[in-house]
Amino acid sequence: MRTTLEPTPKETEWVMHAEERHQAILHRLRQSGSIRVSDVAGELGVSSVTIRRDVETLDERGLLARVHGGAVLPETRTGTGPAPEPWRPPGGQLPRTFGMIVPDASSYYPEVIRGAREAAGRHGVRLVLGISRYDETEERAQAERLLADDVDALLLAPGGTGDTTPWYAELPVPVMLVESRQGEDSPAEYVISDHAYGARLAVRHLAGLGRRRIALAVREDTPHAAALTEGYGTGLATAGLDAPEAPRLTSDTAPGDQDGRLDAYVELAEAGALDAVLVHDDQDALLLLSRLRGRDLAVPKDLAIVAYGDEVAALADTPLTAVAPPRRAVGGAAVDLLLQRLGDPDRPPHRLSILPELHVRSSTAG
């Protein structure tokens, strides 16, 4: 561990070459009137992050005007009066650009993205999206590309395992985690849906209707399985109930077998061993509803269903009661907190948990 403020060899090299880079940047500006950070980084053989810092330094000195992705010459001095301030757009601040990396844009995250985009639009922030496909290597590559494009901050829904010192902790821009509590032992900031609360809300609702044999059907490979299982367990304990014997939807089960395991819930309901089930997500809830009808079992008479997700639960031929995570609010709050972080870099780290809502459709949970 370093205990003094003496520069490391790497820092000394940066100091030695900084002025040379500054002169090269200004020479290029005088030639063309504008530069791109990525182009200059390639020409000088250094990282885009280094050139971006150089541009910020020169901007502070009034020698250039920083713009998204690069820089332009400041206004030309005319006459004998004082030099004008470097160029700034109306309002005195440069436009912000936020990068956003999510595992996919086709299932859980579209509403999160929409909320972030709406909040960004309200604040005049440009939002740039990257998709990692649950691959940490791709996640890092997307982050590097966004940094090369000179983003001011990053919204990240990480797909890794949550190391104590996660890779994104070393990024040179503020990072806001979205729907993830990774890095709990680091000062990582995040905005999440409280999925444990959502599961407790569903169990409390079902118990309040007199249901006493309430099962949880959740696939273990969902990112929210642990929180849902925790909330389900505490919800049962609060209601004084025990978890009934029911199959688990494990992550190593083939898709066809997973669907087949839903039949086990039908058989348990048929035998009177279950009278309610919380199902993640809507797709599995609709499949279960279809299988129950195929065995002439009535919903909610024979089995009450609460879906977790509420993306399409209301569109079932018998609309399903569902817990709705606050996806759009999460995306919007993440942008708002990042802007506050940029405006006050020294403020304490913030972590925000937003509560889901229960949408009751009496025909399936009453």
Side-chain angles (χ1 to χ4, degrees):
M1 178 186 298
R2 294 175 59 197
T3 58
T4 71
L5 297 179
E6 295 178 2
T8 65
K10 182 177 181 181
E11 290 168 338
T12 303
E13 181 182 357
W14 187 89
V15 172
M16 291 172 59
H17 293 281
E19 192 59 37
E20 184 179 357
R21 290 196 308 273
H22 294 174
Q23 292 302 320
I25 291 169
L26 293 173
H27 177 72
R28 173 72 180 272
L29 265 177
R30 286 190 291 269
Q31 285 185 319
S32 61
S34 65
I35 61 165
R36 284 183 57 82
V37 167
S38 56
D39 293 341
V40 176
E43 292 175 8
L44 300 184
V46 297
S47 71
S48 294
V49 172
T50 295
I51 297 300
R52 183 150 58 90
R53 288 171 178 158
D54 291 339
V55 167
E56 290 172 353
T57 298
L58 293 169
D59 179 64
E60 290 171 358
R61 296 178 186 173
L63 298 174
L64 53 71
R66 180 172 172 253
V67 296
H68 173 64
V72 298
L73 286 171
E75 293 180 355
T76 302
R77 181 175 178 176
T78 59
T80 59
E85 290 294 319
W87 176 86
R88 287 289 188 276
Q93 293 185 341
L94 293 166
R96 302 286 193 186
T97 299
F98 287 178
M100 184 174 191
I101 303 174
V102 297
D104 68 75
S106 60
S107 56
Y108 184 89
Y109 289 96
E111 281 295 296
V112 178
I113 296 167
R114 181 174 290 114
R117 186 179 63 202
E118 291 171 349
R122 288 194 300 271
H123 295 291
V125 173
R126 178 172 176 247
L127 190 66
V128 182
L129 183 66
I131 308 297
S132 67
R133 300 192 182 281
Y134 297 93
D135 184 320
E136 187 174 303
T137 300
E138 179 60 24
E139 192 174 274
R140 294 188 185 213
Q142 291 280 357
E144 290 176 4
R145 284 192 282 272
L146 289 167
L147 288 173
D149 286 339
D150 207 29
V151 297
D152 296 287
L154 192 64
L155 297 99
L156 174 65
T161 56
D163 299 331
T164 301
T165 306
W167 64 269
Y168 46 81
E170 303 302 322
L171 294 180
V173 298
V175 176
M176 184 67 61
L177 302 186
V178 178
E179 291 291 23
S180 173
R181 297 175 109 152
Q182 289 191 17
E184 283 278 23
D185 294 330
S186 76
E189 297 188 291
Y190 59 67
V191 181
I192 60 170
S193 300
D194 192 335
H195 297 294
Y197 172 87
R200 292 195 300 273
L201 190 64
V203 172
R204 183 165 68 244
H205 172 71
L206 290 166
L209 296 173
R211 306 292 169 156
R212 292 295 176 265
R213 298 176 297 281
I214 306 169
L216 172 67
V218 56
R219 298 175 189 258
E220 288 183 344
D221 55 356
T222 172
H224 313 308
L228 291 171
T229 301
E230 173 196 341
Y232 165 74
T234 55
L236 287 180
T238 300
L241 303 175
D242 294 322
E245 291 291 332
R248 301 184 67 185
L249 304 179
T250 59
S251 57
D252 57 356
T253 305
D257 294 337
Q258 289 276 37
D259 293 344
R261 290 197 176 197
L262 291 173
D263 290 331
Y265 290 89
V266 178
E267 293 168 2
L268 289 168
E270 203 169 32
L274 294 183
D275 60 10
V277 60
L278 169 61
V279 186
H280 181 284
D281 53 11
D282 288 12
Q283 177 176 312
D284 280 344
L286 267 63
L287 286 172
L288 179 58
L289 177 63
S290 176
R291 283 165 164 73
L292 289 165
R293 288 190 165 174
R295 299 283 280 270
D296 293 327
L297 294 174
V299 175
K301 179 182 177 182
D302 297 306
L303 186 70
I305 297 175
V306 173
Y308 196 95
D310 204 24
E311 294 183 81
V312 295
L315 302 180
D317 52 2
T318 301
L320 296 175
T321 290
V323 176
R327 299 177 182 87
R328 188 178 298 194
V330 166
V335 169
D336 291 341
L337 285 181
L338 266 183
L339 284 166
Q340 293 175 40
R341 168 61 55 200
L342 289 169
D344 183 6
D346 296 325
R347 79 185 199 134
H350 283 46
R351 292 173 170 178
L352 179 61
S353 178
I354 306 179
L355 301 183
E357 295 180 337
L358 180 70
H359 295 164
V360 177
R361 294 157 188 129
S362 59
S363 58
T364 55

